[in-house]
Amino acid sequence: MRWWLRYKKIIEKNILGTAKPEIKDLSYWRNRLFTNFIIFLLPISLVALIPGVFMSVKGNIPLLAVFDICMFFSFNLIAFIPKLDLFIRKVLATVMLYLLAIGLLVFLGSFGPGLLYLLAITVFITLIFPVPVAYWSIGINITISILFALIIHFKLLNSPLTQLYHLGSWIAVSSNLIFLSIFCVVLLDTIGKGLQATILKEALLQKQLQHESKKLEQMVETLKHKNQELEQFAYIASHDLQEPLRTTTALVENLEKQYKGRLDDTADLYLNFLSQASTRMRTLITGLLEYSHIGKEKQRSLVNCNTLVKETISDLDASIKESKASIITDNLPQLPAYPLELKQVFQNLLSNALKFRQKNVRPQIKITAIRETDYWTFSIIDNGIGIEERFREKIFAIFQRLHPKSQYDGTGIGLAHCRKIIELHGGKIWVETNPNGGSIFRFKLPVTYLT
Ligand code: ADP
């Protein structure tokens, strides 16, 4: 089949050229159709030529044999002449086909397929040329029919055509041909218009899609850049603030040590406020620094979440005992993760579940994990104070808290940490309401490594 592929390639290159075609409208398919017509016509007509020539010679019509051979070579020229405009190739092929149909009518009359050829040419023209040209073929068929009617009536030719037909039968046959030609052109025209509209619509959609995805890509790039800038800013700000803060805290400590109790009550109170404020500022800035550090020196490995959660529970032992909490853990999976960061997620979520408990209610916490196709979904279920629906997004932003410090201690950094860590893993974190009271924090992590 290698020779067939080579032959196809040569004709395609000759007719369609080497440029990568763009499917802008129906003309692409019209050109392809014409190319395929030529590709298949040559070998098929070669096969048909042998019995055709044999029968013509045997039937004592040698002129028909010469005519057939000339036709075959003409089509070869149309296929193989290089640098000929595609439209001219199409016109030449159509003229050849008309000549063939006329020849068959002249040489064979009603025995031959001449009339059938005329109808087939109309279909062919409708398929390979734009629609107005197709309507011309009806005109050509009418002209040929009138011409042959005159030839038959005036017996201008001594051929089977004039011998086998008389004017009445020719008019009956040729009017059927014209009727069928109109029918074919109108129907194919409808299909063509429909296809053209679909192709144009699709091309427009594709262009819009390309435009949108380009815009999206640019937006993602800008967002990435802005995010990097922000992280850099947070890092630099928190890092550079550490030094003056250390100095302030040390000075406040010294002040407290040396002057507490030696001044009046108001001064003592102010000193106390100062000390508390500097400690809190230190906690906040350390949190911010840690936040901007997440994912900087990442090391991913296969993590056993059972071990991770056990360690976390042991770290939180004091507050678990103090609140008399019960923590139930399902069998948890082993998955690729950043161990230190993932442990921090469990730590934040568990300590929140312990911290935001209802008054006089023993905290009951459950940790579960369910496998979906590509993800493990973890749930930390508590029976605490719950979270109103309108705050479910807000709480994941840095420094966002729903309660005053006097009610529940904290910095508002924990959940922001969690979100950043989970997203670093290619996962997602969110919160739902526990139907039995309290909250359910869920996060999903990919089963395999995501690059
Ligand atoms: P922090 O715990 O330091 O306040 P977080 O970022 O961990 O900061 O949490 C942000 C806020 O989300 C909390 O202040 C609290 O209002 C709410 N929250 C977090 N976890 C829970 C929970 N398990 N139940 C109820 N509210 C919660």
Side-chain angles (χ1 to χ4, degrees):
M1 281 325 259
R2 262 181 62 196
W3 61 267
W4 171 254
L5 293 177
R6 252 192 91 193
Y7 157 78
K8 247 179 86 176
K9 218 169 167 185
I10 291 171
I11 295 194
E12 275 172 359
K13 199 176 137 199
N14 251 357
I15 299 181
L16 296 171
T18 43
K20 203 170 177 282
E22 213 184 312
I23 310 177
K24 282 190 302 214
D25 53 19
L26 205 55
S27 62
Y28 167 83
W29 291 111
R30 289 191 199 282
N31 296 346
R32 270 237 71 94
L33 198 84
F34 174 70
T35 316
N36 279 5
F37 164 77
I38 296 287
I39 288 173
F40 286 100
L41 177 81
L42 296 184
I44 290 171
S45 57
L46 183 64
V47 172
L49 189 70
I50 298 159
V53 169
F54 178 72
M55 291 306 285
S56 321
V57 174
K58 208 169 168 229
N60 217 9
I61 332 174
L63 215 57
L64 180 60
V66 175
F67 180 72
D68 274 353
I69 292 168
C70 285
M71 281 295 147
F72 177 72
F73 279 107
S74 313
F75 277 116
N76 271 284
L77 283 179
I78 292 171
F80 289 109
I81 285 183
K83 290 191 182 121
L84 189 64
D85 188 70
L86 178 57
F87 183 75
I88 295 175
R89 279 186 217 267
K90 284 183 182 180
V91 172
L92 284 178
T94 313
V95 171
M96 287 301 153
L97 286 173
Y98 269 121
L99 284 178
L100 193 64
I102 292 169
L104 288 169
L105 274 173
V106 170
F107 288 117
L108 300 173
S110 62
F111 287 130
L115 280 169
L116 207 66
Y117 263 56
L118 285 178
L119 181 64
I121 296 167
T122 303
V123 175
F124 176 71
I125 290 178
T126 320
L127 292 176
I128 66 160
F129 284 108
V131 173
V133 181
Y135 283 97
W136 294 356
S137 80
I138 299 171
I140 295 172
N141 282 356
I142 293 173
T143 314
I144 292 174
S145 298
I146 293 171
L147 218 72
F148 275 87
L150 292 173
I151 291 172
I152 291 167
H153 184 63
F154 294 108
K155 296 216 179 311
L156 297 177
L157 265 175
N158 183 21
S159 92
L161 182 78
T162 44
Q163 289 153 14
L164 293 168
Y165 280 114
H166 57 83
L167 189 62
S169 61
W170 172 255
I171 290 174
V173 171
S174 57
S175 53
N176 268 307
L177 162 79
I178 292 159
F179 162 73
L180 285 174
S181 305
I182 296 172
F183 195 64
C184 286
V185 170
V186 171
L187 282 188
L188 288 174
D189 180 21
T190 315
I191 295 176
K193 274 182 186 148
L195 277 174
Q196 173 83 332
T198 316
I199 291 173
L200 286 180
K201 209 169 149 189
E202 199 163 302
L204 193 78
L205 280 176
Q206 229 164 41
K207 227 175 183 172
Q208 275 174 353
L209 207 75
Q210 268 173 6
H211 182 70
E212 289 301 320
S213 65
K214 214 171 184 175
K215 247 169 70 182
L216 211 72
E217 260 173 39
Q218 276 170 355
M219 270 163 77
V220 169
E221 262 320 298
T222 320
L223 220 71
K224 260 191 197 164
H225 193 68
K226 287 257 178 285
N227 208 20
Q228 266 173 4
E229 266 180 7
L230 253 152
E231 275 183 12
Q232 189 74 1
F233 169 76
Y235 175 76
I236 292 170
S238 47
H239 183 263
D240 292 359
L241 282 175
Q242 293 267 339
E243 195 44 48
L245 191 66
R246 253 196 292 274
T247 319
T248 319
T249 319
L251 283 174
V252 170
E253 271 172 18
N254 278 345
L255 263 175
E256 254 193 326
K257 253 189 226 158
Q258 290 184 27
Y259 294 101
K260 202 166 183 184
R262 295 171 66 187
L263 302 165
D264 62 8
D265 285 353
T266 320
D268 275 357
L269 193 69
Y270 285 171
L271 266 179
N272 198 21
F273 282 159
L274 208 60
S275 157
Q276 273 180 22
S278 61
T279 313
R280 181 158 174 75
M281 192 153 163
R282 196 172 188 169
T283 322
L284 290 177
I285 285 183
T286 313
L288 190 62
L289 195 64
E290 278 171 8
Y291 180 79
S292 59
H293 253 309
I294 292 174
K296 280 230 154 66
E297 287 145 32
K298 42 189 181 175
Q299 269 288 326
R300 210 180 324 206
S301 59
L302 208 58
V303 175
N304 186 337
C305 294
N306 286 312
T307 321
L308 212 68
V309 168
K310 243 186 217 160
E311 281 172 21
T312 312
I313 292 176
S314 137
D315 292 348
L316 294 169
D317 192 49
S319 37
I320 293 172
K321 279 197 177 126
E322 184 248 314
S323 60
K324 298 192 175 70
S326 86
I327 302 179
I328 304 169
T329 311
D330 273 4
N331 190 22
L332 302 176
Q334 191 165 289
L335 45 75
Y338 304 106
L340 288 179
E341 282 81 357
L342 190 58
K343 189 175 168 192
Q344 206 178 340
V345 170
F346 282 114
Q347 200 146 11
N348 287 343
L349 295 179
L350 277 175
S351 59
N352 275 354
L354 291 167
K355 182 165 54 169
F356 297 105
R357 59 178 180 265
Q358 293 188 55
K359 244 188 184 155
N360 305 324
V361 177
R362 270 179 60 178
Q364 286 185 336
I365 303 162
K366 195 171 176 199
I367 306 172
T368 63
I370 305 170
R371 167 91 189 248
E372 285 157 72
T373 330
D374 297 327
Y375 288 88
W376 275 101
T377 301
F378 292 79
S379 304
I380 284 84
I381 309 161
D382 67 42
N383 62 340
I385 57 171
I387 297 162
E388 275 184 63
E389 194 169 339
R390 64 197 167 112
F391 296 129
R392 283 190 195 156
E393 224 352 84
K394 184 183 168 182
I395 54 168
F396 289 99
I398 195 158
F399 298 137
Q400 292 297 331
R401 311 198 66 236
L402 305 180
H403 309 278
K405 219 174 92 53
S406 54
Q407 206 176 348
Y408 294 98
D409 193 24
T411 54
I413 289 177
L415 289 179
H417 264 121
C418 291
R419 180 153 80 177
K420 197 168 171 196
I421 292 168
I422 297 299
E423 284 175 0
L424 186 75
H425 284 83
K428 198 182 150 201
I429 184 167
W430 68 100
V431 65
E432 292 171 13
T433 299
N434 184 352
N436 304 318
S439 322
I440 306 177
F441 278 85
R442 293 193 204 278
F443 62 89
K444 54 185 203 169
L445 293 176
V447 171
T448 48
Y449 285 90
L450 289 181
T451 46

